[in-house]
Amino acid sequence: MIDQSIIALLLLVNLRMFATSRVDSLVRCVAAQAFLLVCLAVVTHEGSLSWEAWTFLSVTGLVKCAALPALMTRALRSAGIRREVEPLVGYRVSLFIGLAATGFSVWAAEKLPMPAGAADPLVVAVALISMITGIFLIVARRKAISQAIGYLAMENGIYVLAPALAVHGPLIVETGVLLDVFVGVFIMGVIILHIRQEFRHIDIDRLSELKD
Amino acid sequence: MIADTFAALGGVALALVLSPFLRTIIDRTKARMAGRQGPPVLQPYWSLARLLRKGAVYSSTTTWIFRAGPVVTLATILGALCLVPFGGRPALLHFEGDVLLMAYLLGLGRFFTILAALDTGSSFEGMGANREAFFSALGEPALLLGVAGLGAITGSVSLSGIYGRIGTSAFLGAHMPAMIFILATFVIVYLTENARIPVDDPTTHLELTMIHEVMVLDHCGTDLAFIEYAGALKLWVLGLLITGLVFPVHTGSALLDACVTLACMFVLQIGVGLVESLVARLKMGRTPLLLGIAFVMSALWVMWVVR
Amino acid sequence: MAFFLLMSLLAYLLSGAGALLKGRHPAWGARIVPFGSLAASLFALVPVVYVLAGGSPVDFRASWSLPVGSFHLHLDQLSAWFALPVLLVSPIVSFYGAGYLRHHDRPLETDACGFFLQLLAGGMLFVLLASDGLLFLFAWEIMSIAAFFLVVFEHGDDDVRRAGWVYLVATHLGTAFLFAMFVLLGGMCGSFDFADFEGLGGVPDVVFILAVIGFGAKAGFFGLHVWLPEAHPAAPSHVSGLMSGVMIKTGIYGLLRVMVLANDWPAWWGWTFIGIGVISGVGGVIYALVQHDFKRLLAYSSVENIGIICLGIGVGVFGIGSAGPVARLAMAGALLHVLNHAVFKTGLFLGAGAVIQAVGTRDLDILGGLQKRMPVTGLSFLVASAAICGLPPLNGFVSEFLIYLASYWSVLPQGFPSVNLRVGGFVVISSLALIGGLAAMCFTKVYGTVFLGEPRSARVAGAADPEPCMAVPLRIVAALCVAFGLGGSVLMLLVSPAAARIHPLALAASDTTPLRDAALFYLNVTFAVCALAAVAYGLVRLRGRLLSGRAVRTGPTWGCGYPYGTPRMQYTASSFAQPLVVAFRSFLRTELGGDWPSGYLPGPSDFRTHTPGLFMHRVYMPVFAAFSWAAGWMRRIQHGGTHAYVFYILLALAAVLFWSLL
């Protein structure tokens, strides 16, 4: 029952990410998403967790729920961004794309060949939805920060899927990925700050002038 | 059987008597939140009595449609009242698919309210009419889909069957998220259908921003009393859909169940009052998004129920 | 029984010919079409009722000297059910038409209109009876061509001629697919007789796809619907009523006729129907909402209703595999909607015709206030509008009730439902609810802007109810809407055998209990509605009592403090649809135009909206333009020189020789 409610909350958070125009709420959503995913990992784990697992979970939890969002919030504040004003895809349409993505993920999670003893199809579905959310944000939003959040959301999805698929030694893979993303977001934050100082806006589609 | 009928009749009688009182609760809550005293407890009753004692002014533009509007609205809501179970007991009239009759009776009432508004030829009322038509069209799928979800969980296709079988176990079992989503949908639909904040503001004084209130601008006297009473009954009827979910305990004693449902209903109105005090009304263009969210949430049950 | 069917077809043919050949008896000529139509209906109703009441199917074979095919007529429960709207609507329409065209200035063409109307009605009956592939196509062509001549009735008008061409091209493209389909089926079993098709043991996917496209073009599935919004405004109103109410249903009939040949129904057929249903239903109603042309709007609304029928069929296809009542209820709902839509859509077109004749325009935005001037038309139109929105106690509710009930059953875990069935039911419930709500918005808009408020232009001033021979059909249609709505239980029992006929060959017809149960449930509705009518009457009396001793005055509408209101300031049809246009702008792509007010002291300004048809302008026109370009290029090889033609013949011969030697 607890896992089901976490899944439900995750769904809501993902749909919120599809439909919100506020970038700060996007950041909060991605933090919440990470927190819920860590909780889901704890709850769905069979048997008791070893101390390595606990350490790993708490570290990833801290990084994903606290460090990265804090970094982003700082970037937001220094760049003075509040809303995504003109997204490439409107919010109502986004919401229904989100619904379609949810339906697709559930369908796909039932169909995907999973190793025996793997997680509940709904857990897989939630992981897929998180990934799709991330990809969608990267595709459909203009602000670089929204896209960074998209990467993060995608990574969150992979994070859930990893233990389900790689039954042995998922931690190493995951830690590596996490490090990549951490560095990526860090660099992105710095870049955003500099772009902002240079150009007074951070809309990426206007950055094509830089290509020369 | 006979006992059930009497219990249902009791429920209907309670609704007829107590529904205007729901307005008092909402208004009092809002007043308290704003640091005011609020209207007297029986104010809605006095207002109705006063309206019933008035004469009438009809616009020379209008036809019989305008006079039919309030009557049809009130009659259809009375019909809906007979179809919704009170306190987990079967409703006065129950059969497979009664939810459709309920939804479409409300639709019939709305159809005539909209036409009555258009009958006056006022652009303000036309404005309210098209908003009402559009928003209710978006709210309808959420409501019917939510009921379908409850049906799929309980294995019944009639409102009385659904609410009779829902127990606390529905909330504690594997269907819990589905139940929560459906409940949230019903709350949004409740606020929309009853023209409350965040969709519509019943106390606004600018016609341009109204939805429901502007449609009945030209009604007065008895007609307005019918409309107000129908509005109060609608708060009650749709409220029963929520209270039946929030407190699905069947004690076995009709009296106790009724008391619990009543208490739930009053708490629900306090909730509406709190929402009205704490939340700002949405911009008109954002309302479809809210109803879209309601629809999406009512659609999510399918993930838990259909496996 | 076959005798009655032949007599009916003969009556259509003779009365049609009589209208043409009436010579110097104009008064006699005006009556021959309606009464001929009535006689034909009465003749055909005998076997139709006999079959629907449980009699055995009627079969007739004649010796037929043509080399292929046979003259084989067959009336089973399915064709009998589809014949019902034809027989019900065509006399109503012909009586109305006689009045509608009475004052037409070209009597010769009026006669031709009568002839083609009979040919269309008879052709539709013929289509339903034909039980041989080639005979079916023959009947199909009679029906389609007759409809074409009816559409171009006002052929002096460029738009009408264009609409006629659009219709002709669309219908013949559809027929081409049907031709391919029948050739395939005939090739597989060596005969074109439907009875032989049944021995085929299944329907290949390609046949089903050809049928969906070919019959879908006639039925007006969204995407193939482009001819509807062109042809319906062009045709005289009673013809639009017959075409929109009845003729497009022959497409549904054809699809079902092909489906029952199959041994089982694969799941993707169900999804095809549900997909078509959702797109046609939602797309149709949204496009209907943004129209300003009275009859174009009604045409789009027909697309919507075809969508509802498809939703019912879709759930029915899934339901076949489950033990519950879903399949029977859904199919019955779809079939009932065929009948109900025929009734109320005819009523809407007849009402629109009366309005158009009275005011001389189809533009919704300049009408208004007609309820006071045309009370009979207004009331009938109101009843038909409420019926098309599926509101109780009218007939639209009966069929939507069944489709909903089937969908609600289908999401239940009982009766071994498949995931397809449960998800399908879920999709159908949500889209039906959305369609219903938007349809209510659409028809409150139509009725509100045409009949209520103040007149928006001077044209409306002299309008009055039409003469009795038009007003009586209007009343009859409205009465039918109410009667079918209240007697929904009877209709459900009546449709039961036809619904039982729709199942894959391999599955025998099961019992009729689902519909008997549904009829019992529906009795509650009838009862509740009658009780509510009594309550409403009581409320009216109460209000009368309360107001009796008090001042009841009339005055102007409350203008919210603004004293200079004019009727042109009322909400128009376009303004009513505005929130929808905004919300669905990415789908509708409505074009806004005109001189908008600007500056502090704006001068005269105007505002226009136009929503072009999505498929017409973005798919078909570019495709046809490309085609026409290619054809223009091809014309180079046909330049009239004989020597070149001889050369082509030589080339062709050489190619054939080469190919045969390979």
Side-chain angles (χ1 to χ4, degrees), chain B residues 127-182:
Chain B
M127 205 177 277
N130 78 347
R131 289 169 184 164
E132 170 101 355
F134 186 44
F135 295 157
S136 58
L138 296 180
E140 190 118 320
L143 178 67
L144 286 176
L145 209 49
V147 175
L150 293 179
I153 291 169
T154 56
S156 170
V157 285
S158 94
L159 280 175
S160 298
I162 290 170
Y163 281 90
R165 287 187 210 173
I166 274 186
T168 30
S169 58
F171 272 98
L172 300 177
H175 293 143
M176 191 268 281
M179 296 290 291
I180 303 264
F181 281 133
I182 292 171

Side-chain angles (χ1 to χ4, degrees), chain B residues 52-53 56-61 64 67 75 95-96 100 104 115 119-121 123-124 127 130 137 144 151 223, chain C residues 371-372 390 400 404 408 412 452 454 521 524 532 543 550-555 557 560 569-571 575-576:
Chain B
L52 286 175
R53 275 187 278 119
V57 182
Y58 289 108
S59 160
S60 53
T61 308
W64 61 269
R67 299 181 190 218
F95 56 95
E96 315 274 305
L100 301 168
Y104 275 77
L115 287 186
D119 200 11
T120 60
S123 11
F124 286 116
M127 205 177 277
N130 78 347
L144 286 176
D223 288 325
Chain C
Q371 175 68 44
K372 280 185 179 161
E400 292 201 16
Y404 266 123
Y408 271 87
L412 295 196
L452 301 178
E454 292 285 349
F521 303 150
N524 284 301
L532 285 184
R543 181 173 61 188
R550 307 214 174 86
V552 178
R553 294 179 291 124
T554 52
T557 298
C560 302
M569 287 173 62
Q570 293 172 93
Y571 246 45
S575 26
F576 199 81

Side-chain angles (χ1 to χ4, degrees), chain C residues 446-504:
Chain C
V446 176
Y447 186 77
T449 49
V450 173
F451 289 97
L452 301 178
E454 292 285 349
R456 290 178 181 78
S457 69
R459 284 166 180 272
V460 176
D465 261 329
E467 49 194 306
C469 69
M470 286 162 73
V472 171
L474 273 170
R475 282 174 195 265
I476 290 177
V477 172
L480 282 178
C481 286
V482 179
F484 284 3
L486 289 178
S489 306
V490 182
L491 279 189
M492 287 177 191
L493 295 179
L494 201 63
V495 77
S496 186
R501 178 74 184 78
I502 312 176
H503 54 79

Side-chain angles (χ1 to χ4, degrees), chain A residues 54-122:
Chain A
W54 274 116
T55 324
F56 169 72
L57 283 173
S58 42
V59 168
T60 47
L62 275 179
V63 172
K64 282 166 184 283
C65 310
L68 289 176
L71 210 64
M72 287 181 164
T73 315
R74 233 190 62 191
L76 281 183
R77 205 170 294 148
S78 57
I81 311 159
R82 291 195 54 212
R83 277 173 190 278
E84 180 94 28
V85 182
E86 279 181 353
L88 295 174
V89 181
Y91 294 107
R92 267 191 296 257
V93 180
S94 301
L95 181 65
F96 282 93
I97 292 176
L99 185 63
T102 311
F104 170 78
S105 314
V106 175
W107 177 76
E110 300 273 349
K111 296 271 169 191
L112 277 179
M114 282 288 153
D120 178 5
L122 275 190

Side-chain angles (χ1 to χ4, degrees), chain B residues 260-283:
Chain B
V260 168
T261 306
L262 263 186
C264 259
M265 181 71 86
F266 293 159
V267 172
L268 178 67
Q269 305 313 319
I270 294 176
V272 171
L274 288 178
V275 168
E276 299 228 326
S277 311
L278 300 174
V279 177
R281 214 193 75 174
L282 284 176
K283 252 179 8 183

Side-chain angles (χ1 to χ4, degrees), chain B:
Chain B
M1 183 70 199
I2 302 284
D4 276 349
T5 312
F6 274 109
L9 274 176
V12 169
L14 270 182
L16 293 178
V17 175
L18 285 181
S19 59
F21 180 62
L22 302 182
R23 286 267 167 97
T24 312
I25 301 178
I26 298 178
D27 290 344
R28 280 245 155 169
T29 313
K30 285 167 75 176
R32 283 291 155 82
M33 290 297 287
R36 289 183 282 114
Q37 179 83 40
V41 174
L42 292 181
Q43 185 57 49
Y45 297 93
W46 300 135
S47 306
L48 283 178
R50 188 178 183 86
L51 285 174
L52 286 175
R53 275 187 278 119
K54 289 197 173 197
V57 182
Y58 289 108
S59 160
S60 53
T61 308
T62 56
T63 60
W64 61 269
I65 301 273
F66 181 77
R67 299 181 190 218
V71 170
V72 176
T73 312
L74 184 52
T76 50
I77 197 83
L78 286 172
L81 180 63
C82 298
L83 291 165
V84 179
F86 179 80
R89 309 260 149 184
L92 208 53
L93 188 64
H94 55 94
F95 56 95
E96 315 274 305
D98 53 5
V99 56
L100 301 168
L101 183 59
M102 189 207 79
Y104 275 77
L105 277 179
L106 293 182
L108 181 64
R110 194 183 304 125
F111 190 81
F112 269 87
T113 311
I114 291 170
L115 287 186
L118 290 173
D119 200 11
T120 60
S122 152
S123 11
F124 286 116
E125 298 194 29
M127 205 177 277
N130 78 347
R131 289 169 184 164
E132 170 101 355
F134 186 44
F135 295 157
S136 58
L138 296 180
E140 190 118 320
L143 178 67
L144 286 176
L145 209 49
V147 175
L150 293 179
I153 291 169
T154 56
S156 170
V157 285
S158 94
L159 280 175
S160 298
I162 290 170
Y163 281 90
R165 287 187 210 173
I166 274 186
T168 30
S169 58
F171 272 98
L172 300 177
H175 293 143
M176 191 268 281
M179 296 290 291
I180 303 264
F181 281 133
I182 292 171
L183 184 59
T185 308
F186 280 5
V187 170
I188 297 180
V189 171
Y190 187 67
L191 296 175
T192 312
E193 284 283 320
N194 288 303
R196 314 301 306 192
I197 287 175
V199 173
D200 187 8
D201 187 352
T203 55
T204 178
H205 56 270
L206 182 60
E207 292 89 348
L208 279 172
T209 62
M210 296 176 179
I211 299 176
H212 185 78
E213 285 301 307
V214 74
M215 294 207 310
V216 299
L217 268 185
D218 256 271
H219 291 283
C220 58
T222 322
D223 288 325
L224 191 56
F226 284 177
I227 291 172
E228 294 283 325
Y229 190 49
L233 281 172
K234 201 170 181 181
L235 269 178
W236 184 282
V237 170
L238 293 174
L240 286 179
L241 295 184
I242 296 177
T243 56
L245 286 190
V246 174
F247 209 83
V249 178
H250 308 301
T251 52
S253 146
L255 202 62
L256 206 56
D257 281 351
C259 290
V260 168
T261 306
L262 263 186
C264 259
M265 181 71 86
F266 293 159
V267 172
L268 178 67
Q269 305 313 319
I270 294 176
V272 171
L274 288 178
V275 168
E276 299 228 326
S277 311
L278 300 174
V279 177
R281 214 193 75 174
L282 284 176
K283 252 179 8 183
M284 212 59 94
R286 302 274 291 174
T287 309
L289 185 62
L290 177 75
L291 293 168
I293 291 170
F295 171 73
V296 166
M297 286 205 298
S298 72
L300 286 179
W301 60 257
V302 84
M303 288 181 53
W304 282 272
V305 178
V306 177
R307 298 299 276 285

